[in-house]
Amino acid sequence: MSAPGLRSLHDQELLDLVDDITAEFAGPLDGAITAMITQLLVLWNSSVGDNGPTAAQLSSIQTTITALLDDLPLGLDVDQLLGRLQEAVDLGVTQAAAESGLRPAKAGLTDEITESVRGLPTRMLAALVGARKLLKAKDINSLADVLAVVGVAKQGLNTLNSTISSETSKATAHGAGAVAERSGYPRLWVPERDACLECQRYAGLLA
């Protein structure tokens, strides 16, 4: 296989791994939030009459939101997630060896990646706490108020998704870097096809 073709294959392997890890660890929370939004929309629409929801209906909606927030599956097996990220390191080693012809190297997760993942439960919980605080401080008088609370809660999911994506990419890059370091070669930064602007800034640089 040509070098560009191999690189394209390796890019897709990384994207597939990110998708797989995301589905495993963020899928339950994503599904719960989607179901929560659907249930609240149905509840709101069924409560809205010609004059809008009554005070009793608004109180019932607020109680329902509280219960749904409490039921969100925020549990995260950090050690299992770290194990999946070690797979990303190993993938980086395998890909770098295949692309360069160099011997594979042994590499583990960096402290930075480990600390980021171990801090995930706290960051996710902060979003739930923020949603609860907003619900208590805000009078629910409109559908926009309902969705505002859900939006704050969803920040926990966004945090989980973005952390999985970024740390999986870092882990793969670390594995590839270990192969170069073992052989004494410099590393050329090649951003992924859908890389963020920050990563694109480093394109073509040697480390």
Side-chain angles (χ1 to χ4, degrees):
M1 182 180 292
S2 65
L6 187 60
R7 181 63 189 175
S8 178
L9 173 63
H10 287 172
D11 284 348
Q12 189 58 54
E13 287 177 342
L14 174 57
L15 293 174
D16 289 344
L17 182 59
V18 171
D19 288 345
D20 188 45
I21 297 175
T22 300
E24 179 179 353
F25 292 93
L29 181 57
D30 192 1
I33 290 179
T34 299
M36 177 183 183
I37 293 173
T38 299
Q39 183 174 341
L40 291 174
L41 286 174
V42 171
L43 179 59
W44 181 269
N45 290 331
S46 66
S47 302
V48 175
D50 293 337
N51 298 317
T54 64
Q57 288 172 327
L58 290 173
S59 177
S60 176
I61 291 172
Q62 188 154 351
T63 299
T64 300
I65 296 174
T66 300
L68 290 173
L69 289 175
D70 291 341
D71 287 342
L72 288 178
L74 294 181
L76 182 68
D77 190 330
V78 171
D79 290 331
Q80 187 173 345
L81 177 53
L82 288 172
R84 295 303 310 273
L85 291 178
Q86 180 61 49
E87 293 180 29
V89 175
D90 298 339
L91 177 64
V93 169
T94 301
Q95 290 181 342
E99 290 183 27
S100 65
L102 300 173
R103 293 173 58 189
K106 290 184 178 180
L109 293 170
T110 65
D111 290 341
E112 178 187 359
I113 293 173
T114 300
E115 290 173 6
S116 175
V117 172
R118 292 206 178 280
L120 253 178
T122 298
R123 299 197 299 276
M124 292 169 63
L125 182 60
L128 179 60
V129 171
R132 287 171 175 163
K133 287 182 177 179
L134 179 61
L135 184 60
K136 288 183 179 180
K138 191 178 188 66
D139 291 330
I140 301 298
N141 294 312
S142 67
L143 181 57
D145 294 334
V146 173
L147 296 179
V149 174
V150 176
V152 174
K154 193 174 181 180
Q155 290 175 8
L157 174 63
N158 296 340
T159 296
L160 179 56
N161 284 332
S162 63
T163 300
I164 288 174
S165 178
S166 63
E167 301 309 327
T168 302
S169 296
K170 289 178 184 177
T172 305
H174 175 63
V179 174
E181 289 175 4
R182 183 181 187 279
S183 304
Y185 287 97
R187 289 168 290 169
L188 174 66
W189 184 276
V190 180
E192 301 164 20
R193 288 173 294 173
D194 59 348
C196 65
L197 292 177
E198 182 65 19
C199 290
Q200 291 177 14
R201 289 179 53 235
Y202 296 99
L205 296 181
L206 294 175

